Amino acid sequence: MFNSLNRRNFLRVATAAGASASLPAFWAREARAQDATLNVFAPLPPDPAPPGAAQFSLEAFSKWKAEHAATVNYETLAWPQLHDRMATAFASGSSPWDITYNCGWVPEFQSFLSPYADNLPKALVDDLPPSSFSTVTVDGKRYGSVFTLSLLTLFYNKGQLNDAGFKEPPKNWDEFKAYSKELTRDGRYGLVLNYGDPAGIGGTASYWMTFLQQAGGTMYGEDGLPVFNGAEGVDALQMMVDLMPYTDPGAISYGSINDATNVLLSGRASMMMNWPFMWNAANDPNQSQIVGKMASAVLPAGPAGTASIDGTDAWTITKSSKSQEKAQELIEFYLDADVQKRQVLDTGWLPIRLSVLADPEVQAKAPNAAVVLEQAKHPYDSFVTADYNEVTVAVGTEVQKALQGQKTAAQAIADAHDAVTAIVKRRG
Amino acid sequence: MIKTYEQRRRRAGLLFVAPGLILLVAILGFPIVDSLLLSLQRVQLTGGSVSQNWVGPENFQRLFADPVFWKAAVNTAYFSVMEVILVTLASLGVALLLNHPMGRSGLFRVLLIVPWAIAPVANAVLWKWILNANYGVLNAILKSLGVIEYNQVWLGTPFSALNFLLIVDVWKSVPFVALLMLAGLQRVPQSLYRAAYMDGAGPLQNFLYVTLPNMRGILAIAIILQTIWSLRVFDLVFVLTHGGPADATVILNFLAYRVTFNFLDLGYGSAIANIIFVLTFLLATIYVWLLWPRQPGGTR
């Protein structure tokens, strides 16, 4: 057909190829015109992702789609990019999703979400911890359903603790410091955390919030203004500062928890605070050099006891969705007992359903589930507000300054308090 | 009323150019004006939509009282000045080497272009691993050479983090500017070097009195372009440090992003973006002024 390769022929071939590539998609769209299409915005694994985006319950997922005449399209992003993608989409009025993942941002995006969780079946709601709705409830309306019980707990290398003469994990702050000091030896550190990013759940500020609650403090008073500039706030930060000599120095540059997790899994640190997904990763020979050595425990208690923060991983439905009912049905599928069971068995992310958490098979595969349940008996407030990101950047930046010795703990907390007060007052 | 041929010709020209002008105004003008208007409003996501309230210059007043903005401004100034100095000197050196008879192999030019050709985010991720405190290649090399005893946290202190960002950006920027300067070097008439030789000039005098004066225009362009580019750095900060530790690497462009998309304070974010725009516009004006053809007997 073509005698030579020239620009005109090249363009002809390219046009023909483009047309033939687009035709199947066109016909497929026609064929599926009768189906409901649900667009779901979710994190990329290893962060908590739904069936189809993560490799679990795939058969059940296919069956659900067939039975509900629904097509489900996933848009997945790395966790640190989720918030800003959603913010851009909502602000531009072009949110393309029916269901979105949310993590502490429900108060911020509340006006773009439907309070669908008020309509969940009673049997399902009764099987969820009542506290799981606290971070997704705004003005008395429930905008989301948390789908994984995700609290920070202590993960430790029991082999290294045994070698150092410790038979049990640290139970209080004094032991935590003593253990960290003793375990800092042979080119490794007692503790590793990710202090590189001040913002968000799992950022520097949220670690301080954990210590704050252990010290008996809280972020906000009843009038919504910050109240953390007191002994508890300073003690919490001083505890972090005291741990710094025994914390991997790279911690201040680790922007994501995966950076810190890699250090623990390579055996270069002995302890860290982490989310439940850690259990599977630590026991996967492809990812871990400490298989069989990992154990978990509730976080060491401060003056007021142990405390943690909530990962608040939830599914929400956008107000702009034209398939509200079908979207809720899909979320109910995500929360189905069998799907929840496969979620923990195959990905390590714990279920939120109490019946699944009590399942012997689940407890055998994820012994840390019992630890997380125990941790859940104590405070685990993430202090989520509409300006959570701005607040955590302000607090986290001051915490970083104290950790680096640029400020005393008291000065950093006083400055953070002033900054958060200004943010809250500006919000009005 | 159109009377002369010249006037008719000009009108026809304007009509032909009009679609292009309208397109330019739509693509460039609208966002600029909209951004300026946005910076004079308080913008909030409420009630399922974006609400905008006119606040006048409040965002700009807040900006000048914001210590984080000033920190970002100082960081940006340091970053830009150092980057321009380092890139210009390094590029000039590389261009001189490439212009030497031994450096004229095409292979050197291909190798040179590699850092510039790498996608910005890929480049940042690459350096993130190079600089990793535990597994980074840089630590491994320096330890094997005996330069350091323990692994260093290159992105762990404010001074070190900002300067490593600078080094990485210089590494990425040198190739293009070096090629620009190489083109400038090759335009210097050989007759000038022969005349200088006849006058007894040595290599240093050749460089100072022949090469540099003839490179003045190219150097000016390189400096201004590099200054504009250094004001736009974002990807490196986002991937490598996220502005940390303790806001030590927050520069204006990153701050505008953080305030706009992370804090959802769209009006304030626009105010910061407009400051960057004004700075860039001023630099671009100087750039155009330098490049504008000289009128015979005129000045510029």
Side-chain angles (χ1 to χ4, degrees):
Chain A
M1 185 175 173
F2 300 122
N3 294 327
S4 62
L5 183 64
N6 54 35
R7 275 184 296 180
R8 178 172 294 177
N9 288 343
F10 177 77
L11 282 172
R12 279 181 185 164
V13 171
T15 308
S20 49
S22 63
L23 272 176
F26 177 77
W27 291 119
R29 198 165 49 184
E30 282 291 299
R32 286 200 296 263
Q34 301 303 312
D35 291 0
T37 300
L38 293 171
N39 294 306
V40 180
F41 185 56
L44 265 175
D47 285 307
Q55 297 299 306
F56 72 100
S57 293
L58 298 180
E59 205 173 309
F61 185 45
S62 299
K63 195 175 162 200
W64 184 90
K65 286 190 285 187
E67 285 175 354
H68 290 76
T71 304
V72 179
N73 297 325
Y74 284 119
E75 180 183 341
T76 53
L77 272 183
W79 194 91
Q81 292 154 27
L82 294 171
H83 171 274
D84 296 357
R85 171 76 179 101
M86 285 168 67
T88 318
F90 287 139
S92 65
S94 61
S95 149
W97 314 295
D98 299 280
I99 295 174
T100 61
Y101 167 87
N102 251 290
C103 178
W105 312 311
V106 170
E108 187 178 354
F109 296 134
Q110 168 250 332
S111 61
F112 294 87
L113 304 174
S114 293
Y116 79 93
D118 287 326
N119 306 321
L120 286 173
K122 186 174 181 307
L124 171 59
V125 174
D126 288 347
D127 200 21
L128 304 174
S131 58
S132 70
F133 287 103
S134 64
T135 56
V136 292
T137 302
V138 182
D139 297 333
K141 293 180 178 173
R142 292 173 171 179
Y143 289 86
S145 320
V146 172
F147 62 94
T148 175
L149 183 63
S150 185
L151 305 185
L152 278 184
T153 57
L154 183 74
F155 285 86
Y156 61 95
N157 184 320
K158 59 188 177 195
Q160 290 174 357
L161 260 70
N162 277 333
D163 293 345
F166 300 122
K167 302 297 174 203
E168 290 185 329
K171 290 196 166 42
N172 55 51
W173 281 9
D174 288 338
E175 285 186 9
F176 199 17
K177 278 189 271 193
Y179 277 45
S180 299
K181 184 178 180 182
E182 190 60 33
L183 288 162
T184 301
R185 55 159 88 167
D186 306 327
R188 65 171 191 259
Y189 288 88
L191 188 64
V192 62
L193 284 165
N194 53 303
Y195 289 144
D197 190 354
I201 287 176
T204 316
S206 69
Y207 288 120
W208 170 77
M209 289 173 181
T210 306
F211 285 106
L212 174 71
Q213 294 176 84
Q214 291 168 2
T218 186
M219 277 289 286
Y220 301 105
E222 286 184 2
D223 57 0
L225 287 168
V227 291
F228 59 79
N229 186 16
E232 294 87 0
V234 176
D235 288 350
L237 182 50
Q238 190 59 52
M239 175 65 186
M240 295 170 78
V241 172
D242 291 346
L243 286 169
M244 272 311 274
Y246 323 118
T247 302
D248 176 0
I252 200 75
S253 68
Y254 299 149
S256 105
I257 196 152
N258 295 328
D259 297 331
T261 301
N262 289 339
V263 177
L264 191 77
L265 298 191
S266 68
R268 295 186 184 206
S270 302
M271 300 184 285
M272 82 175 291
M273 298 185 207
N274 208 332
W275 308 104
F277 84 96
M278 175 76 164
W279 189 265
N280 264 22
N283 290 300
D284 177 359
N286 293 322
Q287 300 180 59
S288 170
Q289 295 176 39
I290 56 165
V291 174
K293 293 177 181 170
M294 183 57 63
S296 80
V298 294
L299 292 172
T306 184
S308 181
I309 53 165
D310 186 358
T312 75
D313 308 282
W315 294 119
T316 52
I317 298 176
T318 59
K319 209 179 253 180
S320 60
S321 169
K322 291 186 171 58
S323 309
Q324 298 275 336
E325 281 183 23
K326 195 123 335 189
Q328 181 174 329
E329 286 167 14
L330 180 58
I331 291 175
E332 286 173 22
F333 167 74
Y334 292 159
L335 293 169
D336 177 81
D338 290 335
V339 175
Q340 285 261 292
K341 187 172 175 179
R342 290 317 317 173
Q343 175 180 298
V344 57
L345 296 181
D346 296 344
T347 72
W349 286 99
L350 295 179
I352 191 69
R353 292 188 74 141
L354 297 168
S355 60
V356 183
L357 279 162
D359 186 309
E361 192 183 352
V362 169
Q363 293 196 345
K365 177 76 196 273
N368 61 321
V371 173
V372 180
L373 275 172
E374 177 61 26
Q375 187 74 65
K377 293 175 183 166
H378 305 276
Y380 57 90
D381 197 338
S382 293
F383 303 110
V384 170
T385 58
D387 35 31
Y388 181 72
N389 275 340
E390 193 170 2
V391 164
T392 48
V393 165
V395 172
T397 301
E398 293 300 327
V399 170
Q400 287 177 335
K401 287 177 183 171
L403 295 178
Q404 293 200 308
Q406 295 176 33
K407 286 183 179 178
T408 63
Q411 187 60 54
I413 290 301
D415 290 347
H417 191 270
D418 290 346
V420 176
T421 303
I423 292 166
V424 173
K425 285 185 174 170
R426 202 160 46 237
R427 184 210 309 159
Chain B
M1 180 175 238
I2 295 166
K3 292 173 183 174
T4 65
Y5 168 76
E6 182 60 23
Q7 282 172 325
R8 283 203 303 277
R9 200 179 71 87
R10 282 189 181 178
R11 192 183 69 156
L14 271 176
L15 284 173
F16 282 124
V17 171
L21 279 178
I22 292 168
L23 202 65
L24 266 181
V25 168
I27 292 172
L28 294 178
F30 173 72
I32 291 169
V33 172
D34 199 44
S35 162
L36 186 63
L37 292 176
L38 209 57
S39 69
L40 300 172
Q41 298 171 68
R42 185 172 189 212
V43 187
Q44 287 177 302
L45 300 184
T46 51
S49 62
V50 179
S51 71
Q52 296 170 258
N53 298 306
W54 188 262
V55 292
E58 190 183 293
N59 285 323
F60 289 95
Q61 288 165 351
R62 182 180 149 200
L63 194 142
F64 290 109
D66 182 353
V68 181
F69 170 77
W70 284 111
K71 180 157 199 172
V74 170
N75 284 346
T76 306
Y78 173 79
F79 192 89
S80 294
V81 170
M82 291 304 292
E83 167 136 337
V84 168
I85 293 171
L86 293 174
V87 168
T88 307
L89 291 178
S91 302
L92 188 58
V94 171
L96 286 169
L97 288 174
L98 289 178
N99 200 39
H100 190 274
M102 285 179 69
R104 286 187 181 159
S105 160
L107 178 68
F108 291 136
R109 288 172 208 202
V110 171
L111 287 177
L112 176 72
I113 211 74
V114 168
W116 185 72
I118 296 175
V121 173
N123 174 52
V125 172
L126 180 81
W127 278 94
K128 188 176 179 181
W129 282 107
I130 290 173
L131 299 173
N132 186 285
N134 261 292
Y135 315 104
V137 176
L138 184 61
N139 271 323
I141 291 173
L142 294 179
K143 265 171 90 173
S144 67
L145 293 173
V147 178
I148 55 171
E149 194 175 350
Y150 303 106
N151 279 3
Q152 301 295 306
V153 187
W154 306 111
L155 301 174
T157 64
F159 178 80
S160 168
L162 186 59
N163 283 294
F164 267 98
L165 283 185
L166 183 64
I167 290 168
V168 174
D169 207 42
V170 167
W171 181 79
K172 182 157 180 60
S173 303
V174 160
F176 181 82
V177 180
L179 288 181
L180 193 70
M181 290 192 179
L182 181 62
L185 276 177
Q186 290 173 346
R187 283 181 55 201
V188 180
Q190 292 300 308
S191 56
L192 294 180
Y193 289 112
R194 285 196 289 273
Y197 175 75
M198 296 295 285
D199 290 342
L204 184 62
Q205 288 163 318
N206 263 344
F207 178 70
L208 290 177
Y209 301 115
V210 178
T211 308
L212 272 187
N214 279 283
M215 292 274 292
R216 202 171 48 190
I218 288 287
L219 280 171
I221 292 165
I223 287 169
I224 290 165
L225 277 180
Q226 195 54 48
T227 312
I228 292 171
W229 289 337
S230 66
L231 287 174
R232 291 168 35 190
V233 169
F234 169 79
D235 38 359
L236 282 179
V237 181
F238 187 79
V239 175
L240 281 178
T241 63
H242 237 78
D247 279 349
T249 55
V250 167
I251 56 176
L252 284 175
N253 219 11
F254 179 78
L255 184 65
Y257 167 83
R258 189 167 83 178
V259 169
T260 308
F261 297 108
N262 214 240
F263 301 169
L264 292 181
D265 198 344
L266 273 61
Y268 189 49
S270 294
I272 299 169
N274 275 293
I275 295 288
I276 301 168
F277 170 72
V278 169
L279 283 174
T280 313
F281 185 78
L282 285 175
L283 287 164
T285 307
I286 298 171
Y287 172 68
V288 171
W289 177 72
L290 278 170
L291 283 182
W292 205 256
R294 287 172 190 274
Q295 297 295 325
T299 55
R300 57 173 179 164

